[in-house]
Amino acid sequence: MSANIIDGKAFALALRERIAVQVSDFVSAAGRKPGLAVVLVGEDPASAVYVRSKGKATVAAGMASFEHRLPADVSQDDLLALVDTLNADPAVDGILVQLPLPGHLDELAVTTRIDPDKDVDGFHPVNAGRLATGLEGFVPCTPLGCVMLLKDQLGDLTGLDAVVIGRSNIVGKPMAQLLLKESCTVTIAHSRTRDLSSVVKRADIVVAAVGRPEMVKGEWIKPGATVIDVGINRTATGLVGDVDFGGAASVAGAITPVPGGVGPMTIAVLLRNTLVSAARRDGVAIDEAAL
Ligand code: NDP
């Protein structure tokens, strides 16, 4: 068997096109563009690349991008003051502080200072709580992108056995919550899980969010399962995921490649969340189901 390769790049592009159409409708109705503010502290090259591509994608979707660059030695008070200013700015619908922050800054204090209704990254504990209790809020972009790919691939996910490997607040836990919301039977595995290969073997859906190159082997995968590889690992031979792609692709029904699978979805969902925020804040109706 040879798996269907899930083309996240093409899916993300189509999503961005649908978003751009609805952004244009929003601008006509509200008389302003949705706005995303991105805060970058310091000179970390990878973070600078992410911030630049988020800014470009925001403008390409017809939204306003506000980029704030602060020196690596900025004080906690000055960073919080900027977040307060953005919270109060009516032109800003989404606020994203690029992580990781330099060591002297308290990431949790910064994340929780963002107005939950502008927290388009979905990292605020209020949004984590909303997701867990089924209230409207913002869901972290990467796991939401994974669910979109899964639903596109499989349709209704009801009753499927899903195993999420990884329990971080930004990927594993929200991923598990989203799969539960889709009525999957969800198992969350982590570094203390016993006999991980047997746990993975019973899954119809495997989501790997570990950060260990090619840890999940082809023999672990149930024939026909759908495999979503969130991992981004830089190795001497290039970028690889958390799944042994070659081995898994010969057993799975469908699988995301790395790169070109989950990665492109993250920014597309960030744009989606920003548009949704603008629409909610201005009371403008948009077709959320089409996004
Ligand atoms: P974290 O390091 O925060 O979490 C990793 C998780 O993997 C932890 O829960 C850890 O368990 C678990 N784990 C570690 N080793 C093992 C093991 N041997 N067996 C089973 N579980 C293990 O990572 P993130 O969630 O932030 O990211 C995960 C991966 O996804 C990374 O490669 C990251 O680069 C990538 N990523 C990709 C994104 C994208 O846009 N495509 C966005 C975000 C992340 P424990 O809790 O017990 O320590």
Side-chain angles (χ1 to χ4, degrees):
M1 192 196 297
S2 183
N4 178 26
I5 309 301
I6 298 173
D7 189 345
K9 207 171 160 187
F11 189 97
L13 197 66
L15 174 59
R16 281 166 64 164
E17 282 167 3
R18 294 198 299 278
I19 291 167
V21 170
Q22 292 210 37
V23 165
S24 152
D25 293 346
F26 173 85
V27 172
S28 305
R32 70 176 186 94
K33 293 178 177 184
L36 174 64
V38 179
V39 180
L40 174 63
V41 181
E43 306 287 334
D44 178 66
S47 294
V49 169
Y50 287 138
V51 165
R52 211 172 312 127
S53 41
K54 284 168 186 170
K56 268 196 200 158
T58 305
V59 171
M63 306 197 224
S65 167
F66 309 105
E67 233 174 88
H68 295 269
R69 288 167 182 270
L70 299 175
D73 63 355
V74 68
S75 70
Q76 174 92 1
D77 284 350
D78 285 353
L79 178 55
L80 292 178
L82 173 60
V83 172
D84 289 343
T85 304
L86 298 173
N87 281 341
D89 185 343
V92 172
D93 300 292
I95 303 169
L96 181 158
V97 178
Q98 186 66 43
L99 302 178
L101 292 172
H104 68 285
L105 297 168
D106 179 349
E107 282 189 0
L108 186 64
V110 174
T111 311
T112 53
R113 189 72 158 238
I114 295 171
D115 178 345
D117 294 330
K118 293 190 176 188
D119 169 40
V120 284
D121 252 343
F123 294 166
H124 195 293
V126 165
N127 280 317
R130 287 168 170 167
L131 176 61
T133 47
L135 297 173
E136 188 174 80
F138 291 109
V139 177
C141 303
T142 301
L144 186 52
C146 293
V147 171
M148 288 179 183
L149 293 178
L150 281 167
K151 288 171 81 169
D152 184 57
Q153 186 65 35
L154 298 170
D156 186 5
L157 308 183
T158 301
L160 296 179
D161 273 317
V163 170
V164 179
I165 319 173
R167 55 174 164 180
S168 72
N169 289 332
I170 62 170
V171 188
K173 283 182 201 159
M175 186 72 227
Q177 290 289 355
L178 285 168
L179 290 166
L180 189 59
K181 199 169 150 198
E182 296 299 326
S183 298
C184 292
T185 303
V186 183
T187 302
I188 307 176
H190 45 76
S191 67
R192 304 301 183 89
T193 296
R194 277 189 241 152
D195 196 6
L196 182 60
S197 61
S198 305
V199 173
V200 171
K201 191 86 193 180
R202 61 171 189 254
D204 303 306
I205 293 171
V206 181
V207 181
V210 183
R212 286 175 162 253
E214 300 175 327
M215 185 191 81
V216 177
K217 305 300 176 200
E219 309 86 82
W220 300 10
I221 306 296
K222 176 160 107 176
T226 303
V227 179
I228 303 290
D229 190 350
V230 183
I232 300 177
N233 305 291
R234 278 163 231 284
T235 69
T237 53
L239 213 61
V240 298
D242 291 340
V243 178
D244 168 19
F245 182 81
S250 63
V251 189
I255 184 168
T256 56
V258 177
V262 173
M265 292 301 291
T266 302
I267 289 185
V269 176
L270 177 68
L271 302 176
R272 174 206 178 273
N273 284 355
T274 304
L275 169 61
V276 167
S277 174
R280 286 180 189 161
R281 295 181 63 244
D282 281 19
V284 170
I286 58 164
D287 185 4
E288 277 192 41
L291 295 174

PDB file of all heavy atoms in Angstrom, residues 16 34-40 47-69 96 98 267-268 270-271 274:
ATOM      1  N   ARG A  16      -6.068  30.416   2.251  1.00  0.00           N
ATOM      2  CA  ARG A  16      -5.689  31.835   2.225  1.00  0.00           C
ATOM      3  C   ARG A  16      -6.482  32.597   1.164  1.00  0.00           C
ATOM      4  O   ARG A  16      -6.828  33.762   1.369  1.00  0.00           O
ATOM      5  CB  ARG A  16      -4.185  31.961   1.995  1.00  0.00           C
ATOM      6  CG  ARG A  16      -3.417  31.705   3.287  1.00  0.00           C
ATOM      7  CD  ARG A  16      -1.956  31.476   3.086  1.00  0.00           C
ATOM      8  NE  ARG A  16      -1.267  32.628   2.540  1.00  0.00           N
ATOM      9  CZ  ARG A  16       0.056  32.774   2.564  1.00  0.00           C
ATOM     10  NH1 ARG A  16       0.807  31.852   3.117  1.00  0.00           N
ATOM     11  NH2 ARG A  16       0.614  33.844   2.043  1.00  0.00           N
ATOM     12  N   PRO A  34      -8.974  44.216   8.806  1.00  0.00           N
ATOM     13  CA  PRO A  34      -8.573  43.498  10.026  1.00  0.00           C
ATOM     14  C   PRO A  34      -7.078  43.732  10.247  1.00  0.00           C
ATOM     15  O   PRO A  34      -6.319  43.822   9.274  1.00  0.00           O
ATOM     16  CB  PRO A  34      -8.831  42.027   9.685  1.00  0.00           C
ATOM     17  CG  PRO A  34      -9.729  42.030   8.492  1.00  0.00           C
ATOM     18  CD  PRO A  34      -9.434  43.298   7.749  1.00  0.00           C
ATOM     19  N   GLY A  35      -6.659  43.842  11.505  1.00  0.00           N
ATOM     20  CA  GLY A  35      -5.252  44.140  11.785  1.00  0.00           C
ATOM     21  C   GLY A  35      -4.593  43.124  12.692  1.00  0.00           C
ATOM     22  O   GLY A  35      -5.174  42.706  13.698  1.00  0.00           O
ATOM     23  N   LEU A  36      -3.378  42.711  12.328  1.00  0.00           N
ATOM     24  CA  LEU A  36      -2.606  41.772  13.151  1.00  0.00           C
ATOM     25  C   LEU A  36      -1.308  42.447  13.596  1.00  0.00           C
ATOM     26  O   LEU A  36      -0.536  42.922  12.754  1.00  0.00           O
ATOM     27  CB  LEU A  36      -2.270  40.510  12.348  1.00  0.00           C
ATOM     28  CG  LEU A  36      -1.349  39.494  13.032  1.00  0.00           C
ATOM     29  CD1 LEU A  36      -2.011  38.896  14.280  1.00  0.00           C
ATOM     30  CD2 LEU A  36      -0.956  38.368  12.063  1.00  0.00           C
ATOM     31  N   ALA A  37      -1.096  42.512  14.898  1.00  0.00           N
ATOM     32  CA  ALA A  37       0.150  43.069  15.440  1.00  0.00           C
ATOM     33  C   ALA A  37       1.061  41.929  15.864  1.00  0.00           C
ATOM     34  O   ALA A  37       0.647  41.031  16.594  1.00  0.00           O
ATOM     35  CB  ALA A  37      -0.156  43.961  16.633  1.00  0.00           C
ATOM     36  N   VAL A  38       2.303  41.971  15.378  1.00  0.00           N
ATOM     37  CA  VAL A  38       3.277  40.934  15.726  1.00  0.00           C
ATOM     38  C   VAL A  38       4.443  41.609  16.446  1.00  0.00           C
ATOM     39  O   VAL A  38       4.979  42.611  15.967  1.00  0.00           O
ATOM     40  CB  VAL A  38       3.774  40.197  14.471  1.00  0.00           C
ATOM     41  CG1 VAL A  38       4.795  39.134  14.847  1.00  0.00           C
ATOM     42  CG2 VAL A  38       2.606  39.555  13.732  1.00  0.00           C
ATOM     43  N   VAL A  39       4.800  41.059  17.604  1.00  0.00           N
ATOM     44  CA  VAL A  39       5.874  41.639  18.410  1.00  0.00           C
ATOM     45  C   VAL A  39       7.068  40.690  18.389  1.00  0.00           C
ATOM     46  O   VAL A  39       6.935  39.509  18.712  1.00  0.00           O
ATOM     47  CB  VAL A  39       5.411  41.862  19.868  1.00  0.00           C
ATOM     48  CG1 VAL A  39       6.539  42.459  20.700  1.00  0.00           C
ATOM     49  CG2 VAL A  39       4.162  42.741  19.901  1.00  0.00           C
ATOM     50  N   LEU A  40       8.210  41.228  17.970  1.00  0.00           N
ATOM     51  CA  LEU A  40       9.445  40.422  17.946  1.00  0.00           C
ATOM     52  C   LEU A  40      10.445  41.056  18.906  1.00  0.00           C
ATOM     53  O   LEU A  40      10.779  42.231  18.783  1.00  0.00           O
ATOM     54  CB  LEU A  40      10.023  40.394  16.527  1.00  0.00           C
ATOM     55  CG  LEU A  40      11.394  39.712  16.367  1.00  0.00           C
ATOM     56  CD1 LEU A  40      11.318  38.227  16.723  1.00  0.00           C
ATOM     57  CD2 LEU A  40      11.918  39.867  14.929  1.00  0.00           C
ATOM     58  N   SER A  47      13.087  33.315  14.474  1.00  0.00           N
ATOM     59  CA  SER A  47      11.911  34.109  14.830  1.00  0.00           C
ATOM     60  C   SER A  47      11.723  35.256  13.843  1.00  0.00           C
ATOM     61  O   SER A  47      10.594  35.575  13.453  1.00  0.00           O
ATOM     62  CB  SER A  47      12.063  34.693  16.241  1.00  0.00           C
ATOM     63  OG  SER A  47      12.062  33.662  17.193  1.00  0.00           O
ATOM     64  N   ALA A  48      12.846  35.877  13.423  1.00  0.00           N
ATOM     65  CA  ALA A  48      12.752  36.997  12.477  1.00  0.00           C
ATOM     66  C   ALA A  48      12.147  36.522  11.153  1.00  0.00           C
ATOM     67  O   ALA A  48      11.313  37.210  10.552  1.00  0.00           O
ATOM     68  CB  ALA A  48      14.136  37.612  12.252  1.00  0.00           C
ATOM     69  N   VAL A  49      12.529  35.308  10.721  1.00  0.00           N
ATOM     70  CA  VAL A  49      11.979  34.756   9.477  1.00  0.00           C
ATOM     71  C   VAL A  49      10.476  34.525   9.626  1.00  0.00           C
ATOM     72  O   VAL A  49       9.673  34.914   8.762  1.00  0.00           O
ATOM     73  CB  VAL A  49      12.687  33.424   9.106  1.00  0.00           C
ATOM     74  CG1 VAL A  49      11.956  32.709   7.969  1.00  0.00           C
ATOM     75  CG2 VAL A  49      14.141  33.679   8.716  1.00  0.00           C
ATOM     76  N   TYR A  50      10.064  33.934  10.769  1.00  0.00           N
ATOM     77  CA  TYR A  50       8.633  33.681  11.006  1.00  0.00           C
ATOM     78  C   TYR A  50       7.844  34.989  10.983  1.00  0.00           C
ATOM     79  O   TYR A  50       6.788  35.093  10.365  1.00  0.00           O
ATOM     80  CB  TYR A  50       8.405  33.000  12.366  1.00  0.00           C
ATOM     81  CG  TYR A  50       8.829  31.547  12.417  1.00  0.00           C
ATOM     82  CD1 TYR A  50       9.498  31.044  13.518  1.00  0.00           C
ATOM     83  CD2 TYR A  50       8.530  30.670  11.384  1.00  0.00           C
ATOM     84  CE1 TYR A  50       9.894  29.707  13.582  1.00  0.00           C
ATOM     85  CE2 TYR A  50       8.913  29.340  11.437  1.00  0.00           C
ATOM     86  CZ  TYR A  50       9.600  28.867  12.536  1.00  0.00           C
ATOM     87  OH  TYR A  50       9.975  27.552  12.594  1.00  0.00           O
ATOM     88  N   VAL A  51       8.387  36.004  11.669  1.00  0.00           N
ATOM     89  CA  VAL A  51       7.673  37.285  11.772  1.00  0.00           C
ATOM     90  C   VAL A  51       7.534  37.919  10.392  1.00  0.00           C
ATOM     91  O   VAL A  51       6.471  38.430  10.028  1.00  0.00           O
ATOM     92  CB  VAL A  51       8.398  38.218  12.769  1.00  0.00           C
ATOM     93  CG1 VAL A  51       7.926  39.646  12.636  1.00  0.00           C
ATOM     94  CG2 VAL A  51       8.193  37.708  14.197  1.00  0.00           C
ATOM     95  N   ARG A  52       8.617  37.850   9.605  1.00  0.00           N
ATOM     96  CA  ARG A  52       8.563  38.435   8.267  1.00  0.00           C
ATOM     97  C   ARG A  52       7.513  37.715   7.424  1.00  0.00           C
ATOM     98  O   ARG A  52       6.703  38.343   6.742  1.00  0.00           O
ATOM     99  CB  ARG A  52       9.943  38.348   7.597  1.00  0.00           C
ATOM    100  CG  ARG A  52      10.183  39.503   6.648  1.00  0.00           C
ATOM    101  CD  ARG A  52      11.624  39.544   6.122  1.00  0.00           C
ATOM    102  NE  ARG A  52      12.620  39.397   7.180  1.00  0.00           N
ATOM    103  CZ  ARG A  52      13.610  38.483   7.171  1.00  0.00           C
ATOM    104  NH1 ARG A  52      13.726  37.621   6.191  1.00  0.00           N
ATOM    105  NH2 ARG A  52      14.478  38.429   8.158  1.00  0.00           N
ATOM    106  N   SER A  53       7.493  36.378   7.478  1.00  0.00           N
ATOM    107  CA  SER A  53       6.518  35.682   6.621  1.00  0.00           C
ATOM    108  C   SER A  53       5.087  35.896   7.117  1.00  0.00           C
ATOM    109  O   SER A  53       4.162  35.966   6.310  1.00  0.00           O
ATOM    110  CB  SER A  53       6.840  34.205   6.428  1.00  0.00           C
ATOM    111  OG  SER A  53       7.273  33.634   7.607  1.00  0.00           O
ATOM    112  N   LYS A  54       4.902  36.045   8.430  1.00  0.00           N
ATOM    113  CA  LYS A  54       3.552  36.349   8.927  1.00  0.00           C
ATOM    114  C   LYS A  54       3.105  37.723   8.426  1.00  0.00           C
ATOM    115  O   LYS A  54       1.965  37.899   8.004  1.00  0.00           O
ATOM    116  CB  LYS A  54       3.527  36.313  10.461  1.00  0.00           C
ATOM    117  CG  LYS A  54       3.540  34.892  11.011  1.00  0.00           C
ATOM    118  CD  LYS A  54       3.806  34.825  12.504  1.00  0.00           C
ATOM    119  CE  LYS A  54       3.957  33.374  12.943  1.00  0.00           C
ATOM    120  NZ  LYS A  54       4.444  33.216  14.323  1.00  0.00           N
ATOM    121  N   GLY A  55       4.014  38.695   8.463  1.00  0.00           N
ATOM    122  CA  GLY A  55       3.689  40.055   7.994  1.00  0.00           C
ATOM    123  C   GLY A  55       3.311  40.056   6.530  1.00  0.00           C
ATOM    124  O   GLY A  55       2.293  40.644   6.132  1.00  0.00           O
ATOM    125  N   LYS A  56       4.112  39.358   5.727  1.00  0.00           N
ATOM    126  CA  LYS A  56       3.847  39.293   4.273  1.00  0.00           C
ATOM    127  C   LYS A  56       2.498  38.654   3.997  1.00  0.00           C
ATOM    128  O   LYS A  56       1.718  39.135   3.179  1.00  0.00           O
ATOM    129  CB  LYS A  56       4.926  38.433   3.593  1.00  0.00           C
ATOM    130  CG  LYS A  56       6.117  39.203   3.081  1.00  0.00           C
ATOM    131  CD  LYS A  56       6.853  38.277   2.103  1.00  0.00           C
ATOM    132  CE  LYS A  56       8.291  38.713   1.907  1.00  0.00           C
ATOM    133  NZ  LYS A  56       9.120  37.613   1.423  1.00  0.00           N
ATOM    134  N   ALA A  57       2.223  37.521   4.677  1.00  0.00           N
ATOM    135  CA  ALA A  57       0.973  36.790   4.447  1.00  0.00           C
ATOM    136  C   ALA A  57      -0.231  37.635   4.869  1.00  0.00           C
ATOM    137  O   ALA A  57      -1.283  37.608   4.226  1.00  0.00           O
ATOM    138  CB  ALA A  57       0.991  35.474   5.223  1.00  0.00           C
ATOM    139  N   THR A  58      -0.053  38.424   5.948  1.00  0.00           N
ATOM    140  CA  THR A  58      -1.140  39.273   6.436  1.00  0.00           C
ATOM    141  C   THR A  58      -1.510  40.315   5.380  1.00  0.00           C
ATOM    142  O   THR A  58      -2.686  40.504   5.047  1.00  0.00           O
ATOM    143  CB  THR A  58      -0.700  39.988   7.740  1.00  0.00           C
ATOM    144  OG1 THR A  58      -0.270  38.994   8.668  1.00  0.00           O
ATOM    145  CG2 THR A  58      -1.830  40.784   8.351  1.00  0.00           C
ATOM    146  N   VAL A  59      -0.491  40.967   4.827  1.00  0.00           N
ATOM    147  CA  VAL A  59      -0.724  41.998   3.813  1.00  0.00           C
ATOM    148  C   VAL A  59      -1.306  41.360   2.544  1.00  0.00           C
ATOM    149  O   VAL A  59      -2.243  41.892   1.938  1.00  0.00           O
ATOM    150  CB  VAL A  59       0.596  42.760   3.521  1.00  0.00           C
ATOM    151  CG1 VAL A  59       0.436  43.685   2.326  1.00  0.00           C
ATOM    152  CG2 VAL A  59       1.035  43.533   4.767  1.00  0.00           C
ATOM    153  N   ALA A  60      -0.776  40.167   2.177  1.00  0.00           N
ATOM    154  CA  ALA A  60      -1.270  39.491   0.965  1.00  0.00           C
ATOM    155  C   ALA A  60      -2.749  39.129   1.093  1.00  0.00           C
ATOM    156  O   ALA A  60      -3.462  39.057   0.098  1.00  0.00           O
ATOM    157  CB  ALA A  60      -0.448  38.231   0.693  1.00  0.00           C
ATOM    158  N   ALA A  61      -3.217  38.917   2.328  1.00  0.00           N
ATOM    159  CA  ALA A  61      -4.635  38.574   2.531  1.00  0.00           C
ATOM    160  C   ALA A  61      -5.518  39.831   2.598  1.00  0.00           C
ATOM    161  O   ALA A  61      -6.716  39.731   2.803  1.00  0.00           O
ATOM    162  CB  ALA A  61      -4.795  37.765   3.806  1.00  0.00           C
ATOM    163  N   GLY A  62      -4.911  40.998   2.451  1.00  0.00           N
ATOM    164  CA  GLY A  62      -5.684  42.250   2.463  1.00  0.00           C
ATOM    165  C   GLY A  62      -5.860  42.839   3.848  1.00  0.00           C
ATOM    166  O   GLY A  62      -6.691  43.723   4.065  1.00  0.00           O
ATOM    167  N   MET A  63      -5.067  42.346   4.820  1.00  0.00           N
ATOM    168  CA  MET A  63      -5.186  42.848   6.192  1.00  0.00           C
ATOM    169  C   MET A  63      -4.038  43.812   6.505  1.00  0.00           C
ATOM    170  O   MET A  63      -3.054  43.881   5.766  1.00  0.00           O
ATOM    171  CB  MET A  63      -5.139  41.691   7.185  1.00  0.00           C
ATOM    172  CG  MET A  63      -6.158  40.617   6.908  1.00  0.00           C
ATOM    173  SD  MET A  63      -6.391  39.571   8.355  1.00  0.00           S
ATOM    174  CE  MET A  63      -6.405  37.985   7.624  1.00  0.00           C
ATOM    175  N   ALA A  64      -4.176  44.520   7.622  1.00  0.00           N
ATOM    176  CA  ALA A  64      -3.116  45.423   8.054  1.00  0.00           C
ATOM    177  C   ALA A  64      -2.156  44.691   8.976  1.00  0.00           C
ATOM    178  O   ALA A  64      -2.575  43.959   9.870  1.00  0.00           O
ATOM    179  CB  ALA A  64      -3.727  46.622   8.779  1.00  0.00           C
ATOM    180  N   SER A  65      -0.851  44.877   8.726  1.00  0.00           N
ATOM    181  CA  SER A  65       0.167  44.225   9.557  1.00  0.00           C
ATOM    182  C   SER A  65       0.914  45.294  10.344  1.00  0.00           C
ATOM    183  O   SER A  65       1.398  46.265   9.775  1.00  0.00           O
ATOM    184  CB  SER A  65       1.124  43.464   8.641  1.00  0.00           C
ATOM    185  OG  SER A  65       2.268  43.065   9.356  1.00  0.00           O
ATOM    186  N   PHE A  66       0.982  45.109  11.653  1.00  0.00           N
ATOM    187  CA  PHE A  66       1.725  46.050  12.513  1.00  0.00           C
ATOM    188  C   PHE A  66       2.878  45.284  13.152  1.00  0.00           C
ATOM    189  O   PHE A  66       2.645  44.382  13.955  1.00  0.00           O
ATOM    190  CB  PHE A  66       0.821  46.618  13.605  1.00  0.00           C
ATOM    191  CG  PHE A  66      -0.479  47.185  13.093  1.00  0.00           C
ATOM    192  CD1 PHE A  66      -1.673  46.489  13.266  1.00  0.00           C
ATOM    193  CD2 PHE A  66      -0.507  48.404  12.432  1.00  0.00           C
ATOM    194  CE1 PHE A  66      -2.873  46.998  12.790  1.00  0.00           C
ATOM    195  CE2 PHE A  66      -1.717  48.916  11.948  1.00  0.00           C
ATOM    196  CZ  PHE A  66      -2.896  48.223  12.131  1.00  0.00           C
ATOM    197  N   GLU A  67       4.093  45.651  12.739  1.00  0.00           N
ATOM    198  CA  GLU A  67       5.247  44.909  13.260  1.00  0.00           C
ATOM    199  C   GLU A  67       5.944  45.741  14.318  1.00  0.00           C
ATOM    200  O   GLU A  67       6.238  46.919  14.094  1.00  0.00           O
ATOM    201  CB  GLU A  67       6.215  44.629  12.106  1.00  0.00           C
ATOM    202  CG  GLU A  67       6.577  43.166  11.989  1.00  0.00           C
ATOM    203  CD  GLU A  67       7.420  42.893  10.750  1.00  0.00           C
ATOM    204  OE1 GLU A  67       8.659  43.010  10.831  1.00  0.00           O
ATOM    205  OE2 GLU A  67       6.805  42.585   9.718  1.00  0.00           O
ATOM    206  N   HIS A  68       6.200  45.149  15.471  1.00  0.00           N
ATOM    207  CA  HIS A  68       6.902  45.861  16.552  1.00  0.00           C
ATOM    208  C   HIS A  68       8.160  45.096  16.900  1.00  0.00           C
ATOM    209  O   HIS A  68       8.087  43.959  17.359  1.00  0.00           O
ATOM    210  CB  HIS A  68       5.995  45.987  17.778  1.00  0.00           C
ATOM    211  CG  HIS A  68       4.796  46.845  17.523  1.00  0.00           C
ATOM    212  ND1 HIS A  68       4.774  48.193  17.763  1.00  0.00           N
ATOM    213  CD2 HIS A  68       3.586  46.542  17.000  1.00  0.00           C
ATOM    214  CE1 HIS A  68       3.592  48.691  17.413  1.00  0.00           C
ATOM    215  NE2 HIS A  68       2.849  47.700  16.955  1.00  0.00           N
ATOM    216  N   ARG A  69       9.312  45.737  16.688  1.00  0.00           N
ATOM    217  CA  ARG A  69      10.588  45.094  17.013  1.00  0.00           C
ATOM    218  C   ARG A  69      11.171  45.757  18.243  1.00  0.00           C
ATOM    219  O   ARG A  69      11.335  46.987  18.268  1.00  0.00           O
ATOM    220  CB  ARG A  69      11.564  45.228  15.845  1.00  0.00           C
ATOM    221  CG  ARG A  69      11.163  44.355  14.686  1.00  0.00           C
ATOM    222  CD  ARG A  69      11.913  44.709  13.424  1.00  0.00           C
ATOM    223  NE  ARG A  69      11.432  43.854  12.350  1.00  0.00           N
ATOM    224  CZ  ARG A  69      11.955  42.670  12.046  1.00  0.00           C
ATOM    225  NH1 ARG A  69      13.011  42.227  12.695  1.00  0.00           N
ATOM    226  NH2 ARG A  69      11.450  41.935  11.083  1.00  0.00           N
ATOM    227  N   LEU A  96       0.176  38.954  18.538  1.00  0.00           N
ATOM    228  CA  LEU A  96       1.012  37.757  18.627  1.00  0.00           C
ATOM    229  C   LEU A  96       2.392  38.182  19.097  1.00  0.00           C
ATOM    230  O   LEU A  96       2.999  39.073  18.494  1.00  0.00           O
ATOM    231  CB  LEU A  96       1.074  37.168  17.230  1.00  0.00           C
ATOM    232  CG  LEU A  96       1.832  35.904  16.935  1.00  0.00           C
ATOM    233  CD1 LEU A  96       1.272  35.302  15.664  1.00  0.00           C
ATOM    234  CD2 LEU A  96       3.308  36.152  16.772  1.00  0.00           C
ATOM    235  N   GLN A  98       5.994  36.848  19.381  1.00  0.00           N
ATOM    236  CA  GLN A  98       6.754  35.703  18.882  1.00  0.00           C
ATOM    237  C   GLN A  98       7.571  35.069  20.009  1.00  0.00           C
ATOM    238  O   GLN A  98       8.341  35.745  20.686  1.00  0.00           O
ATOM    239  CB  GLN A  98       7.681  36.164  17.737  1.00  0.00           C
ATOM    240  CG  GLN A  98       8.420  35.052  17.040  1.00  0.00           C
ATOM    241  CD  GLN A  98       7.500  34.102  16.272  1.00  0.00           C
ATOM    242  OE1 GLN A  98       6.576  34.523  15.584  1.00  0.00           O
ATOM    243  NE2 GLN A  98       7.733  32.812  16.412  1.00  0.00           N
ATOM    244  N   ILE A 267       0.316  29.493   9.465  1.00  0.00           N
ATOM    245  CA  ILE A 267       0.115  30.913   9.142  1.00  0.00           C
ATOM    246  C   ILE A 267      -1.283  31.139   8.560  1.00  0.00           C
ATOM    247  O   ILE A 267      -1.947  32.126   8.877  1.00  0.00           O
ATOM    248  CB  ILE A 267       1.204  31.435   8.180  1.00  0.00           C
ATOM    249  CG1 ILE A 267       2.542  31.542   8.933  1.00  0.00           C
ATOM    250  CG2 ILE A 267       0.815  32.789   7.591  1.00  0.00           C
ATOM    251  CD1 ILE A 267       3.669  32.154   8.140  1.00  0.00           C
ATOM    252  N   ALA A 268      -1.744  30.193   7.733  1.00  0.00           N
ATOM    253  CA  ALA A 268      -3.082  30.346   7.140  1.00  0.00           C
ATOM    254  C   ALA A 268      -4.144  30.437   8.243  1.00  0.00           C
ATOM    255  O   ALA A 268      -5.066  31.262   8.182  1.00  0.00           O
ATOM    256  CB  ALA A 268      -3.374  29.187   6.192  1.00  0.00           C
ATOM    257  N   LEU A 270      -3.626  31.386  11.323  1.00  0.00           N
ATOM    258  CA  LEU A 270      -3.426  32.664  12.023  1.00  0.00           C
ATOM    259  C   LEU A 270      -4.206  33.781  11.325  1.00  0.00           C
ATOM    260  O   LEU A 270      -4.862  34.610  11.991  1.00  0.00           O
ATOM    261  CB  LEU A 270      -1.928  32.989  12.055  1.00  0.00           C
ATOM    262  CG  LEU A 270      -1.533  34.313  12.674  1.00  0.00           C
ATOM    263  CD1 LEU A 270      -1.813  34.310  14.171  1.00  0.00           C
ATOM    264  CD2 LEU A 270      -0.051  34.607  12.407  1.00  0.00           C
ATOM    265  N   LEU A 271      -4.171  33.798  10.008  1.00  0.00           N
ATOM    266  CA  LEU A 271      -4.924  34.804   9.247  1.00  0.00           C
ATOM    267  C   LEU A 271      -6.420  34.594   9.465  1.00  0.00           C
ATOM    268  O   LEU A 271      -7.178  35.555   9.630  1.00  0.00           O
ATOM    269  CB  LEU A 271      -4.594  34.704   7.755  1.00  0.00           C
ATOM    270  CG  LEU A 271      -3.123  34.874   7.371  1.00  0.00           C
ATOM    271  CD1 LEU A 271      -2.937  34.659   5.880  1.00  0.00           C
ATOM    272  CD2 LEU A 271      -2.605  36.251   7.777  1.00  0.00           C
ATOM    273  N   THR A 274      -7.422  35.920  12.800  1.00  0.00           N
ATOM    274  CA  THR A 274      -7.424  37.388  12.826  1.00  0.00           C
ATOM    275  C   THR A 274      -8.703  37.938  12.176  1.00  0.00           C
ATOM    276  O   THR A 274      -9.336  38.858  12.700  1.00  0.00           O
ATOM    277  CB  THR A 274      -6.169  37.936  12.107  1.00  0.00           C
ATOM    278  OG1 THR A 274      -5.010  37.375  12.727  1.00  0.00           O
ATOM    279  CG2 THR A 274      -6.105  39.451  12.180  1.00  0.00           C
TER     280      THR A 274
END
